[in-house]
Amino acid sequence: MPDSFYDEMYDSKGDPRAHYQSFSRWLANTPPELLAQRRREADLLFHRAGITFTLYGDDLGTERLIPFDIIPRSIPRSEWKIIESGCIQRVQALNMFLTDLYHDQRIIKAGIIPPEQILANEGYQMAMQDLDLHRNIYAHIAGVDLVRDGDGTYYVLEDNLRTPSGVSYMLEDRKMMMRLFPELFASQRIAPIDHYPSMLLSTLKNSSPVDDPHVVVLTPGHFNSAYFEHAFLAREMGVELVEGADLFVRDDKVYMRTTAGPKQVDVIYRRLDDAFMDPLAFNPQSMLGIPGLVSAYRSGNVSLANALGTGVADDKSVYPYVPDMIRFYLSEEPILANVPTWQCRKPADLSHVLANLPELVVKETQGSGGYGMLVGPAASKAEIEDFRARLIANPAAYIAQPTLSLSTCPTFVEQGIAPRHIDLRPFVMSGRETRLVPGGLTRVALREGSLVVNSSQGGGTKDTWVVEE
């Protein structure tokens, strides 16, 4: 396990970094009992607001409170500008890749990506082939997961282009910090993020050629792990939250059932996977989607955000090619680097991975939420051998990466304040322009030594500050 971690708050001498000095002084002057009281208030307020996620397959029940830590993750403005530019560049290239993939496939013809990586990928949707989208945007909302290595360098760990979640926790964490500690915001300049819902609504409206389009948020229902977020965003944007049964298709147009009669829907912000969107085109057993939706979509009568078929671009086996996409479509060098990745479908890469399993992180190419992965340094011999068998049986389903020494941030735990590993998910919106609010969702691995930050694996969240230096 790597033993040199970049501490976000303190430098190598133990002194607070420049952008943390104001917070450090406040922390030193605040009585521990007051901090403990504020933490209890935060838990109570989160519980009252229903800020939860659903954990499947747990005998103790499914509803879980997202653990919230009151020590923020702070990023200086100069550093944020690099993150922002790198995320915008990356998402622009991914949208250009998807446009190319479903039209001319120039990147495949140029020999940069093997055709079987794409055309045999379960995220590739034939229904999208030769379909022209407004502004050629497929991923209207993207989440880019960033980690920071021991030397302070940011790396992109993965891209989330299907139905990226977590923005509600970003916004609620900020509200909570402003409510509990208003003096912190008075003493320094922290960039605001509360305009995210209006930016999101503008992005969704820009996905349609219609003037003043009617927008809805489509949820699988209240049993979904991110239902709180679906309801939260619909409320914040002032649009309807609907389930598949609330919508129907007639004459290749989508309508919502209302007490005043059918009302046409122009934009669907879908929080539902491709397979469940239309039982006539995909999974015939789906009770969550809208029969005939794909026909209406292909007729240009409704916009979907994100588009169908975006999953092929955030598949972990396609991730290694994103730097090449940036060079191919934008003629630029990547601002943010990928984590070095071995593709187990390649015999030489597989041999390396099998020989070094105890040192590597192995992930399913279609996996998410921290499930279906092996963290070699933290795994038992039995777990390593189990994964070895899985790799040998189906190598194309896995990629491997080195175990990064993820940066740490001081965090309140039972023993007091201690460093815990964190990542960052900025949210990128693509409409007339590509933009993001200054900040993102910082996830923290609350278990000592753990590198897995997902809420489904016991992780929590922190408020993310972009501060003027």
Side-chain angles (χ1 to χ4, degrees):
M1 181 76 79
D3 54 9
S4 63
F5 304 112
Y6 183 92
D7 191 302
E8 299 284 342
M9 188 166 172
Y10 299 105
D11 63 21
S12 57
K13 297 176 184 175
D15 297 325
R17 300 185 189 277
H19 57 287
Y20 260 113
Q21 285 177 359
S22 176
F23 178 83
S24 181
R25 285 192 297 270
W26 174 87
L27 188 61
N29 294 325
T30 304
E33 54 271 20
L34 178 61
L35 291 174
Q37 178 189 335
R38 292 286 190 269
R39 290 175 66 205
R40 289 193 295 271
E41 283 180 34
D43 286 346
L44 181 62
L45 290 167
F46 268 57
H47 188 75
R48 283 179 179 167
I51 303 170
T52 60
F53 69 100
T54 302
L55 191 63
Y56 302 120
D58 191 302
D59 294 337
L60 299 177
T62 58
E63 284 296 310
R64 286 286 186 275
L65 204 64
I66 293 277
F68 168 66
D69 185 59
I70 63 174
I71 297 182
R73 191 259 185 85
S74 186
I75 301 170
R77 169 70 71 174
S78 57
E79 210 172 85
W80 173 254
K81 286 179 180 176
I82 298 169
I83 294 171
E84 182 179 47
S85 299
C87 289
I88 287 172
Q89 178 195 57
R90 195 171 179 96
V91 171
Q92 284 176 336
L94 285 163
N95 270 313
M96 293 172 80
F97 165 68
L98 286 161
T99 302
D100 180 30
L101 170 63
Y102 289 115
H103 290 82
D104 301 327
Q105 301 184 347
R106 292 186 299 118
I107 199 165
I108 295 176
K109 292 169 184 173
I112 293 170
I113 301 181
E116 65 272 13
Q117 281 286 92
I118 303 301
L119 305 179
N121 190 298
E122 67 178 64
Y124 172 74
Q125 296 291 3
M126 276 299 297
M128 294 298 294
Q129 199 63 46
D130 298 320
L131 177 60
D132 294 326
L133 298 186
H134 188 55
R135 302 187 198 280
N136 288 330
I137 294 173
Y138 288 72
H140 305 83
I141 302 96
V144 180
D145 288 354
L146 302 173
V147 294
R148 203 172 197 183
D149 205 359
D151 62 359
T153 303
Y154 282 99
Y155 290 92
V156 178
L157 188 63
E158 63 182 56
D159 307 288
N160 300 275
L161 306 181
R162 305 174 205 213
T163 53
S165 63
V167 75
S168 58
Y169 306 130
M170 173 188 84
L171 295 168
E172 289 288 9
D173 287 354
R174 175 60 56 87
K175 285 183 188 175
M176 188 65 68
M177 288 295 287
M178 293 183 76
R179 178 170 180 169
L180 296 179
F181 308 111
E183 66 275 18
L184 285 172
F185 293 84
S187 64
Q188 56 193 317
R189 292 173 62 192
I190 301 167
I193 59 170
D194 57 352
H195 55 298
Y196 180 91
S198 62
M199 279 178 64
L200 175 60
L201 182 58
S202 172
T203 299
L204 294 172
K205 287 187 172 184
N206 285 335
S207 71
S208 171
V210 175
D211 292 334
D212 194 24
H214 181 211
V215 178
V216 299
V217 177
L218 175 65
T219 177
H222 67 278
F223 290 112
N224 184 263
S225 61
Y227 179 75
F228 165 78
E229 175 155 299
H230 307 164
F232 173 90
L233 289 175
R235 183 176 69 249
E236 291 290 312
M237 288 190 289
V239 303
E240 290 95 353
L241 178 70
V242 300
E243 297 183 28
D246 299 320
L247 305 177
F248 67 94
V249 174
R250 185 171 65 203
D251 299 329
D252 277 342
K253 294 179 181 177
V254 180
Y255 295 90
M256 179 177 70
R257 295 181 172 90
T258 77
T259 53
K263 180 177 176 64
Q264 188 171 345
V265 171
D266 304 300
V267 180
I268 299 175
Y269 179 27
R270 58 154 183 141
R271 301 301 296 262
L272 191 60
D273 290 340
D274 287 4
F276 302 101
M277 288 295 289
D278 182 349
L280 300 183
F282 303 120
N283 180 358
Q285 306 300 318
S286 172
M287 302 291 288
L288 302 174
I290 306 105
L293 176 65
V294 170
S295 178
Y297 187 43
R298 288 193 60 84
S299 298
N301 294 324
V302 68
S303 297
L304 298 179
N306 288 342
L308 299 174
T310 53
V312 69
D314 72 5
D315 183 288
K316 291 180 178 66
S317 68
V318 174
Y319 157 91
Y321 298 101
V322 177
D324 291 327
M325 294 178 198
I326 293 170
R327 297 183 187 102
F328 184 77
Y329 296 114
L330 299 174
S331 300
E332 299 171 359
E333 281 301 306
I335 297 168
L336 297 170
N338 270 21
V339 176
T341 302
W342 292 276
Q343 301 180 61
C344 297
R345 65 181 186 83
K346 296 180 178 179
D349 284 17
L350 177 62
S351 296
H352 174 84
V353 171
L354 291 173
N356 295 278
L357 272 179
E359 285 81 50
L360 300 176
V361 175
V362 185
K363 303 175 182 177
E364 292 179 343
T365 58
Q366 294 285 334
S368 63
Y371 296 105
M373 65 185 287
L374 173 80
V375 181
S380 66
K381 286 186 177 179
E383 288 169 332
I384 288 171
E385 292 311 309
D386 173 61
F387 244 83
R388 187 185 305 279
R390 292 196 219 174
L391 279 166
I392 293 169
N394 188 13
Y398 295 91
I399 55 114
Q401 296 170 330
T403 306
L404 291 181
S405 48
L406 299 193
S407 64
T408 63
C409 187
T411 300
F412 273 105
V413 292
E414 287 185 15
Q415 299 80 9
I417 297 178
R420 289 293 185 266
H421 295 292
I422 58 173
D423 77 350
L424 175 66
R425 177 179 290 179
F427 295 91
V428 185
M429 288 169 280
S430 301
R432 284 197 175 92
E433 56 185 330
T434 308
R435 53 191 179 157
L436 53 167
V437 294
L441 177 67
T442 289
R443 300 181 296 179
V444 53
L446 294 174
R447 298 192 189 111
E448 186 175 2
S450 174
L451 298 173
V452 183
V453 298
N454 305 75
S455 55
S456 55
Q457 309 295 315
T461 66
K462 290 173 172 283
D463 190 11
T464 307
W465 293 357
V466 174
V467 298
E468 297 294 344
E469 294 160 270

